Amino acid sequence: MGWDAEDVALLKKLWTVGQSAAQIARRLGCSRNAVCAKLTRLGLKRGHKPPTAKPKIRPVPKRKPALLAACARPVDRIVSTRKPRVRQPEEFTKSQLEAMLAEAAANTARLPR
């Protein structure tokens, strides 16, 4: 979209009034992303509210001795932290493979059809 002086002035006015980028885009007949990109290039940002004057800071509660004792009791079962080993497939020799194929072929020949 080509931005002329009138569009930029209207964009700035609508943005300072508080309209959203989507509302401005509908009014100007362009995409929301085009409006956001132009706002970024113009350096316009929304003003954020300042933090409250007196934020409430609460102290961290102290742990009670009963809770500490509960954490120290023994565990019934020890859980392993190691990952289970992946079982490697067995390796067969060529003669073993041929014997297995012959046995499978013999078994299929015996099956009733």
Side-chain angles (χ1 to χ4, degrees):
M1 171 180 174
W3 291 92
D4 57 355
E6 292 175 7
D7 289 338
V8 173
L10 183 60
L11 171 72
K12 287 180 180 180
K13 178 184 170 194
L14 295 174
W15 186 251
T16 55
V17 170
Q19 289 196 1
S20 69
Q23 291 169 333
I24 297 170
R26 274 188 244 114
R27 181 104 179 248
L28 293 174
C30 62
S31 70
R32 179 187 165 279
N33 284 341
V35 171
C36 291
K38 188 63 177 178
L39 289 169
T40 302
R41 286 192 299 272
L42 293 173
L44 297 175
K45 296 180 181 177
R46 286 271 188 227
H48 295 287
K49 293 180 181 178
T52 58
K54 295 181 183 177
K56 293 182 181 178
I57 299 174
R58 288 188 243 153
V60 177
K62 293 182 181 179
R63 295 184 82 182
K64 297 177 181 168
L67 292 175
L68 292 174
C71 295
R73 70 175 177 217
V75 179
D76 293 340
R77 190 180 85 178
I78 296 175
V79 180
S80 175
T81 58
R82 292 189 301 165
K83 292 182 180 178
R85 291 180 50 194
V86 177
R87 186 173 172 202
Q88 295 294 326
E90 291 184 43
E91 294 195 20
F92 298 104
T93 63
K94 187 174 181 180
S95 60
Q96 289 173 327
L97 290 173
E98 289 173 353
M100 285 191 276
L101 286 173
E103 184 181 335
N107 289 340
T108 56
R110 289 187 218 147
L111 293 175
R113 294 188 186 205

